[in-house]
């Protein structure tokens, strides 16, 4: 049987050189598009984390870790689909009011309760190191939660609970 070089068989189908060239160019084009689209979405994510961390630093009064900021932001977004809009409105209010810190923000009168709720969620997450309610709580950090900052260097951060009876006897127990 003579070899036909003009139309090689691929998976039982004949493929022309022109068809193979088109497929190669298409795959290469998709690869280039994916390379361009990937950094754009990563850049947008970096901007969102930077904005969240900046807002969090204003609300807490501390310099914060942007890596933890990204984790807090992702966990908060899972629980609140409107978080981006709420944070944007909160940031706009802070900029428009010109308050220098959280104390000034709290002194503002007539602040929308929904914006105060957003600020409280963010501050609570950073201080407790946890996002969500007990039923669906997500631990983001323990040792780096802000509740330990005031006593940093004075008290050791506990690394484990003291045991089941440490806080007193359980209701109804005889021990």
């Amino acid at each position: 049987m003579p070899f036909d070089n003009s139309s090689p068989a691929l998976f039982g189908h004949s493929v022309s050189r022109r068809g193979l060239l088109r497929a190669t160019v298409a795959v290469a084009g998709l690869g280039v598009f994916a390379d361009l689209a990937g950094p754009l979405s990563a850049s947008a994510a970096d901007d969102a984390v930077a904005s969240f961390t900046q807002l969090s630093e204003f609300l807490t009064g501390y310099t914060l870790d942007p890596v933890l900021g990204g984790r807090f932001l992702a966990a908060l977004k899972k629980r609140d689909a409107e978080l981006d809009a709420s944070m944007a409105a909160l940031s706009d209010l802070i900029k428009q009011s010109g308050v220098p810190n959280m104390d000034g923000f709290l002194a503002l009168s007539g602040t929308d309760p929904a914006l105060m709720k957003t600020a409280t969620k963010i501050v609570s997450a950073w201080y407790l190191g946890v996002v969500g309610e007990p039923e669906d709580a997500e631990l983001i950090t323990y040792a780096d939660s802000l509740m330990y900052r005031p006593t940093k260097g004075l008290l050791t951060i506990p690394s484990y609970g003291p045991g089941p009876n440490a806080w007193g006897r359980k209701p109804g127990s005889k021990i």
Side-chain angles (χ1 to χ4, degrees):
M1 179 171 175
F3 180 72
D4 182 10
N5 196 20
S6 65
S7 183
L10 183 65
F11 301 112
H13 299 286
S14 64
V15 178
S16 68
R17 287 182 193 161
R18 185 171 288 159
L20 184 61
L21 182 60
R22 283 183 187 154
T24 303
V25 169
V27 169
L30 286 173
V32 168
F33 178 74
D35 282 345
L36 291 175
L40 292 177
S41 62
S43 174
D46 288 346
D47 290 345
V49 170
S51 295
F52 174 76
T53 304
Q54 182 181 13
L55 176 61
S56 297
E57 287 177 345
F58 174 85
L59 295 173
T60 63
Y62 287 110
T63 301
L64 302 170
D65 181 356
V67 173
L68 285 176
R71 293 180 63 203
F72 278 117
L73 179 60
L76 287 165
K77 280 184 170 186
K78 276 196 284 188
R79 290 159 178 82
D80 183 1
E82 302 298 319
L83 185 68
D84 286 332
S86 299
M87 287 187 339
L90 183 59
S91 293
D92 288 345
L93 175 64
I94 291 168
K95 287 176 188 167
Q96 289 173 0
S97 67
V99 294
N101 55 31
M102 186 60 168
D103 291 334
F105 175 73
L106 292 173
L108 290 176
S109 60
T111 304
D112 181 3
L115 295 182
M116 290 301 291
K117 185 176 180 181
T118 299
T120 301
K121 275 186 206 177
I122 294 170
V123 171
S124 175
W126 281 99
Y127 268 86
L128 299 176
V130 176
V131 174
E133 297 303 317
E135 308 82 51
D136 73 335
E138 185 175 344
L139 177 65
I140 304 300
T141 183
Y142 180 75
D144 291 328
S145 59
L146 295 183
M147 69 177 155
Y148 294 117
R149 285 234 179 137
T151 59
K152 188 173 186 172
L154 301 172
L155 297 176
T156 303
I157 297 170
S159 60
Y160 57 88
N165 296 322
W167 298 103
R169 62 183 183 90
K170 294 179 184 175
S173 71
K174 295 182 183 181
I175 296 177

